[in-house]
Amino acid sequence: MAQVIDPASPYRHDRLRQLRAFCFTAEAGSISQAAERLGLTQPSVSLQVQALERDLAVTLFERRGPRIRLTPDGEQLYAEVHELVETIDALPGRFAEGNRPLDSGRLDIGAGESSTLYLLPATLERFMTLHPNVRVRLHHLSVGELTEAVRQDQVDFAVGAILDMPDELRYRAIYSYGLSLITPPDHPLARRDVINLRDLAGQDFIIPPQNMTTWRLISLVFQQHAIRYRIRLEVGSWEAVKRYVGLGFGIAIVSNVSLAEDYPGIVVRSLPEVFPKRTYGAMSRRGRFLSPQARRFLEMMRPDFFSDG
């Protein structure tokens, strides 16, 4: 028998609005950021969260200045309801997109430099050959721009290497690549079969912009092992890094994703295992409905992308 809800029960209120405000706040770690995503005022979101806490007789957030974090009760509630909120919010998109033919519409993909140049071309070619009537737009973005574009639904999903993944985004790894040292042919290290960390100390390095994920990882390894080095030149892209190494300006450490094709004028050497592999994957906003076009593209990149395993 169906349960009869007491008219005085808090469920007569708009519980979905309260739960949505709670989930967005939990993911953003901030009332103001949650309000911005919801298109509401900060006091409105705060009142909805407070009403939920009052109705459930629990404290959901520990408040410390502008930042807040979940209490144990808040973590339990988030685990129970966030998928429900995402599913309900996705319903309009499912009905709007569900019957749209796969061979029409548009697909917006955000990508960093490495993904744009090395990872996506083959899949793009296959997808556009099979679905010529889908309008594809590739947005070439920096790391910070990638996450913001996904947050703001400016792209269906983004592909890249991210070290700090915001809670409101989903990420699944697709590719994994190691790092290698590249040198000019006449550099002393070009003649070494085995490179160790001390070999890299005091060398002149050519680097990409220092906010790029791969270089942040390399710099962290140097710091952890107290390896001093010199930045001889900073250039704007991995292709420029390879070019200037070939011209003899210095040496560089690059992701193997950028070494898929032979590049004249450089020598490639393996690095010690202390340099971890780089993972590249796809990210989307939690709760966003992915169109059939987006799902098809992601499955072409990784066939088990949507499996539970």
Side-chain angles (χ1 to χ4, degrees):
M1 180 181 296
Q3 181 181 3
V4 178
I5 297 179
D6 188 330
S9 165
Y11 285 93
R12 65 188 176 88
H13 300 297
D14 189 351
R15 179 50 49 83
L16 177 60
R17 292 173 60 193
Q18 295 175 357
L19 291 175
R20 185 183 291 114
F22 162 71
C23 288
F24 277 46
T25 301
E27 292 164 3
S30 164
I31 291 283
S32 60
Q33 291 183 26
E36 183 177 350
R37 282 186 59 196
L38 289 164
L40 300 173
T41 64
Q42 183 173 339
S44 175
V45 173
S46 183
L47 287 173
Q48 289 178 19
V49 172
Q50 291 172 15
L52 184 61
E53 290 180 315
R54 184 171 57 252
D55 292 343
L56 300 180
V58 295
T59 300
L60 298 173
F61 292 103
E62 179 182 349
R63 295 164 175 83
R64 290 185 177 179
R67 302 294 297 180
I68 61 178
R69 65 180 183 181
L70 289 169
T71 64
D73 286 329
E75 291 177 354
Q76 180 181 349
L77 180 63
Y78 181 78
E80 293 181 1
V81 304
H82 78 276
E83 290 187 0
L84 173 64
V85 171
E86 290 178 5
T87 299
I88 293 175
D89 284 348
L91 282 175
R94 291 183 185 278
F95 281 103
E97 298 281 356
N99 296 320
R100 180 177 295 179
L102 180 59
D103 286 319
S104 65
R106 60 180 292 170
L107 175 61
D108 286 88
I109 305 172
E113 185 205 12
S114 295
S115 301
T116 299
L117 291 178
Y118 312 118
L119 297 180
L120 291 176
T123 306
L124 273 172
E125 183 179 21
R126 288 173 53 213
F127 181 89
M128 296 173 71
T129 298
L130 292 171
H131 309 288
N133 295 322
V134 176
R135 179 185 174 192
V136 181
R137 184 177 181 187
L138 184 59
H139 304 251
H140 185 184
L141 304 170
S142 67
V143 172
E145 292 170 338
L146 274 183
T147 54
E148 190 60 26
V150 175
R151 278 194 180 110
Q152 300 298 326
D153 291 339
Q154 295 169 354
V155 295
D156 293 287
F157 60 86
V159 179
I162 306 294
L163 290 180
D164 307 311
M165 183 60 57
D167 290 338
E168 64 266 35
L169 303 187
R170 280 200 181 99
Y171 175 84
R172 183 154 192 186
I174 300 177
Y175 308 101
S176 180
Y177 294 91
L179 300 175
S180 291
L181 177 73
I182 59 174
T183 75
D186 59 352
H187 193 279
L189 292 182
R191 297 187 290 272
R192 300 286 297 272
D193 293 329
V194 178
I195 305 294
N196 61 53
L197 277 174
R198 293 300 167 189
D199 293 329
L200 304 177
Q203 298 286 347
D204 290 330
F205 277 85
I206 302 169
I207 69 169
Q210 296 187 50
N211 64 343
M212 290 186 69
T213 303
T214 300
W215 179 253
R216 289 172 58 195
L217 186 65
I218 295 167
S219 180
L220 181 61
V221 171
F222 281 153
Q223 291 176 22
Q224 289 174 340
H225 292 84
I227 301 298
R228 295 183 177 274
Y229 60 93
R230 295 186 297 269
I231 297 177
R232 175 80 187 280
L233 181 65
E234 180 176 335
V235 295
S237 70
W238 289 115
E239 287 301 304
V241 168
K242 292 189 292 184
R243 171 66 173 162
Y244 278 89
V245 168
L247 291 173
F249 280 69
I251 65 176
I253 296 174
V254 300
S255 171
N256 289 342
V257 68
S258 69
L259 300 175
E261 300 178 358
D262 291 336
Y263 194 92
I266 64 173
V267 174
V268 180
R269 289 289 178 263
S270 298
L271 285 168
E273 292 183 359
V274 293
F275 289 94
K277 290 186 176 182
R278 296 298 301 116
T279 297
Y280 297 81
M283 69 197 84
S284 61
R285 180 177 62 78
R286 294 184 184 275
R288 178 182 173 88
F289 172 74
L290 289 176
S291 69
Q293 293 83 359
R295 294 179 67 89
R296 179 61 179 273
F297 193 95
L298 290 170
E299 287 173 338
M300 291 177 71
M301 295 179 75
R302 177 173 171 169
D304 64 344
F305 189 89
F306 294 103
S307 69
D308 295 331

